[in-house]
């Protein structure tokens, strides 16, 4: 007579403990397969080699001309002959600032000579005393320039060694992965991260050298613009080296070239947990982490050598001494030149005991001491400043592009040799 009450039926299925464990095992395998598929989506870019045979890099003509110059590629046997006088390109005599200073010294000497000719009391000037005034700083300036040039060369070699240590760390990491039989995707990812770190470091140092180190007020304003320029330059010089998702994460940080090795360390730890390499407590794992630390330390060394220059008070004082020596010698040569002009115009009462041949000899010797000597000191100062900044001046720039291209060729050759051993099968640490 009323509404019927709905009836609920419950069905009970009896599952044994063995079947329950089997079902849970299959569920775990399914979850692991889904996780592996998600991880494989990240490493899809690692299936391609670092250098494809048909890959062509589009580099602007201006950048390629600057990067083709190698300050370390020359024939040293020609420097022991007189052929060194015609090797001007890339040398100290190819700098405009050097000849500008020399031209100013010539102009100062001519001005002093004209003044000597027209002053009425020119006979009271003693040229032999003026010669001593022009040469008293030569020995002192030469000694200081020798010390500065030595420290600059040591700085240059240390910077090159630190950069090469970074590249050697990338090669060592690949060699460890080949010895452990790591999959090609993992090995390519580690090599790509190391190569990306080296490229970013090189481009970043080149940008700092061209733009200068910004001050505190402009640093925050230009950080985002510099980051965009950095990645645009990377895409022009080495396209396809970074994935879009990785680029988005790295662009948030200024020193992304150093933070890449944090990813490498994290990936090494994950591979150890997955059983792809020896566990964390093994000596092999410690050796691999030492490679990561060496790479990170080399990056710090390169940045420190680039940012920390010689104290300004030392370099400024040295430069002032060189220029003051140049000015004093130019004045001394102008005095002797003025005396020679007085002899030419016929005022022989000034030098009635001096013959014309002696005057010409004295004029030539004074030109060598007062003009050629300071010119050599200016050249040494120019060389010392160029060598002290290996990423700033083109004449002493480190051939980083040549090193990076050699690294890519080495990685490609090592990967090909490791994938196809001649008389044995590839090693594999992880049991299948």
């Amino acid at each position: 007579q009323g509404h019927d009450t709905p009836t609920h039926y419950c069905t009970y299925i009896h599952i044994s403990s063995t079947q329950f464990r089997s079902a849970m095992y299959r569920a775990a395998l399914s979850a692991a397969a889904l996780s592996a598929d998600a991880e494989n989506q990240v490493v899809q870019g690692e299936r391609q080699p670092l250098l494809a045979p048909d890959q062509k890099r589009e580099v602007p003509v201006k950048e390629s001309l600057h990067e083709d110059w190698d300050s370390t590629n020359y024939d040293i046997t020609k420097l022991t002959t007189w052929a060194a006088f015609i090797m001007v390109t890339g040398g100290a005599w190819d700098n405009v600032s050097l000849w500008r200073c020399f031209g100013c010294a010539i102009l100062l000497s001519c001005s002093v000579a004209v003044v000597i000719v027209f002053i009425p009391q020119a006979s009271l000037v003693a040229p032999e005393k003026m010669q001593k005034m022009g040469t008293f700083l030569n020995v002192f300036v030469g000694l200081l320039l020798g010390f500065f040039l030595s420290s600059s060369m040591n700085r240059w070699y240390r910077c090159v060694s630190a950069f090469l240590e970074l590249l050697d760390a990338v090669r060592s990491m690949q060699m460890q992965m080949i010895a452990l039989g790591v999959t090609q995707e993992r090995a390519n990812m580690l090599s790509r991260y190391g190569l990306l770190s080296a490229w970013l470091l090189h481009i970043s140092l080149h940008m700092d050298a061209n733009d200068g180190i910004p001050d505190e007020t402009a640093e925050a304003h230009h950080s985002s613009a510099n980051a965009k320029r950095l990645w645009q330059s990377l895409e022009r010089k080495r396209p396809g080296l970074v994935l879009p998702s990785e680029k988005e994460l790295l662009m948030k940080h200024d020193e992304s070239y150093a933070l890449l090795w944090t990813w490498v360390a994290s990936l090494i730890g994950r591979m150890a947990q997955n059983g792809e390499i020896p566990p964390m407590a093994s000596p092999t794992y410690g050796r691999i982490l030492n490679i990561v630390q060496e790479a990170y330390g080399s990056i710090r060394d390169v940045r420190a050598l680039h940012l920390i220059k010689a104290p300004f008070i030392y370099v400024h004082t040295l430069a002032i001494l060189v220029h003051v020596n140049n000015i004093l010698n130019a004045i001394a040569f102008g005095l002797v030149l003025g005396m020679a002009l007085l002899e030419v115009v016929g005022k022989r009462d000034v030098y009635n005991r001096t013959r014309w041949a002696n005057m010409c000899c004295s004029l030539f010797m004074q030109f060598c001491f007062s003009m050629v000597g300071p010119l050599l000191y200016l050249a040494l100062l120019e060389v010392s400043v160029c060598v002290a900044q290996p990423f700033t001046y083109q004449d002493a720039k480190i051939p980083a592009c040549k090193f990076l291209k050699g690294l890519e060729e080495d990685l490609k050759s090592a990967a090909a040799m490791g994938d196809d051993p001649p008389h044995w099968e590839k090693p594999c640490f992880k049991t299948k």
Side-chain angles (χ1 to χ4, degrees):
Q1 297 179 357
H3 295 284
D4 296 336
T5 302
T7 305
H8 300 278
Y9 297 94
C10 297
T11 304
Y12 297 93
I13 301 175
H14 177 70
I15 301 177
S16 62
S17 60
T18 304
Q19 294 176 348
F20 178 76
R21 287 194 298 268
S22 178
M24 292 298 293
Y25 180 71
R26 287 194 298 270
L29 288 180
S30 301
L34 291 176
S35 177
D37 292 338
E39 192 175 13
N40 287 335
Q41 293 178 0
V42 181
V43 298
Q44 287 297 327
E46 314 305 327
R47 300 185 184 278
Q48 298 295 332
L50 293 175
L51 277 177
D54 55 348
Q55 183 180 4
K56 297 181 180 180
R57 305 181 199 168
E58 298 180 359
V59 182
V61 178
K62 183 177 179 181
E63 293 183 359
S64 62
L65 290 177
H66 285 292
E67 292 176 356
D68 286 340
W69 168 252
D70 184 5
S71 60
T72 63
N73 186 15
Y74 56 90
D75 188 5
I76 197 173
T77 58
K78 293 183 179 180
L79 298 179
T80 59
T81 63
W82 283 15
F85 290 104
I86 62 176
M87 299 171 63
V88 180
T89 304
W93 315 110
D94 196 19
N95 296 319
V96 180
S97 60
L98 177 67
W99 296 109
R100 186 184 297 115
C101 293
F102 185 71
C104 292
I106 292 291
L107 182 61
L108 179 60
S109 298
C110 295
S111 301
V112 172
V114 171
V115 172
I116 290 296
V117 170
F118 288 100
I119 61 176
Q121 303 296 332
S123 58
L124 300 178
V125 178
E128 60 274 5
K129 295 182 178 180
M130 295 299 102
Q131 293 176 5
K132 295 179 180 179
M133 183 193 72
T135 56
F136 83 99
L137 278 179
N138 286 344
V139 177
F140 183 64
V141 171
L143 183 63
L144 291 180
L145 280 175
F147 288 145
F148 185 47
L149 181 59
S150 177
S151 63
S152 299
M153 286 301 303
N154 291 332
R155 178 188 179 92
W156 193 88
Y157 280 117
R158 287 175 57 192
C159 195
V160 173
S161 300
F163 191 80
L164 291 179
E165 286 177 1
L166 173 61
L167 305 187
D168 290 339
V170 180
R171 294 186 179 93
S172 300
M173 181 65 70
Q174 186 196 38
M175 197 64 62
Q176 290 282 343
M177 297 302 106
I178 292 176
L180 294 174
V182 177
T183 59
Q184 183 180 2
E185 290 79 9
R186 294 293 198 189
N188 286 344
M189 178 179 287
L190 292 173
S191 298
R192 184 171 61 85
Y193 283 165
L195 188 60
L196 177 61
S197 174
W199 271 106
L200 288 176
L201 177 62
H202 163 59
I203 298 174
S204 176
L205 294 176
H206 184 71
M207 289 174 53
D208 292 344
N210 292 338
D211 301 339
I213 306 301
D215 53 10
E216 295 180 357
T217 58
E219 185 175 0
H221 179 70
H222 293 287
S223 59
S224 59
N226 290 336
K228 292 180 180 179
R229 289 179 52 201
L230 174 65
W231 290 100
Q232 289 175 359
S233 180
L234 177 66
E235 290 297 330
R236 290 195 304 266
K237 296 180 179 180
R238 186 57 176 87
L241 195 58
V242 61
L243 300 181
S245 59
E246 299 170 347
K247 179 180 177 181
E248 183 179 357
L249 294 175
L250 292 173
M251 286 185 66
K252 300 177 182 178
H253 306 279
D254 294 334
E255 297 184 355
S256 54
Y257 44 83
L259 297 178
L260 273 166
W261 289 96
T262 305
W263 283 359
V264 172
S266 178
L267 180 58
I268 292 298
R270 171 51 56 187
M271 293 169 63
Q273 290 183 347
N274 293 344
E276 301 177 35
I277 61 175
M280 296 182 179
S282 63
T284 304
Y285 182 83
R287 170 58 184 160
I288 296 176
L289 283 188
N290 284 337
I291 297 176
V292 178
Q293 293 175 359
E294 290 174 1
Y296 191 75
S298 63
I299 292 177
R300 285 198 313 246
D301 291 341
V302 173
R303 288 293 297 178
L305 291 171
H306 174 67
L307 295 177
I308 303 176
K309 305 179 180 64
F312 174 76
I313 186 173
Y314 172 74
V315 181
H316 181 260
T317 304
L318 179 60
I320 291 297
L321 287 176
V322 172
H323 291 300
V324 167
N325 180 54
N326 190 16
I327 293 173
L328 292 179
N329 280 276
I331 294 175
F333 178 71
L335 293 175
V336 177
L337 181 62
M339 296 303 170
L341 291 178
L342 289 176
E343 185 73 15
V344 171
V345 297
K347 296 182 179 180
R348 301 183 182 275
D349 54 333
V350 177
Y351 274 110
N352 49 11
R353 295 176 300 177
T354 304
R355 297 180 180 179
W356 174 248
N358 293 334
M359 178 59 67
C360 291
C361 181
S362 177
L363 186 64
F364 175 75
M365 293 179 61
Q366 188 65 26
F367 179 80
C368 293
F369 282 110
S370 300
M371 303 303 293
V372 178
L375 178 64
L376 296 178
Y377 290 148
L378 282 173
L380 287 178
L381 179 63
E382 186 80 20
V383 171
S384 301
V385 172
C386 290
V387 173
Q389 297 297 318
F391 293 98
T392 303
Y393 296 97
Q394 188 67 29
D395 293 336
K397 185 175 293 184
I398 294 176
C401 288
K402 182 181 73 172
F403 295 155
L404 290 171
K405 292 176 183 178
L407 172 63
E408 295 191 22
E409 293 293 340
D410 292 344
L411 294 177
K412 178 184 176 182
S413 301
M417 295 293 291
D419 289 338
D420 189 17
H423 305 295
W424 59 89
E425 296 183 357
K426 291 177 55 178
C428 183
F429 177 80
K430 184 177 181 181
T431 57
K432 301 180 180 180

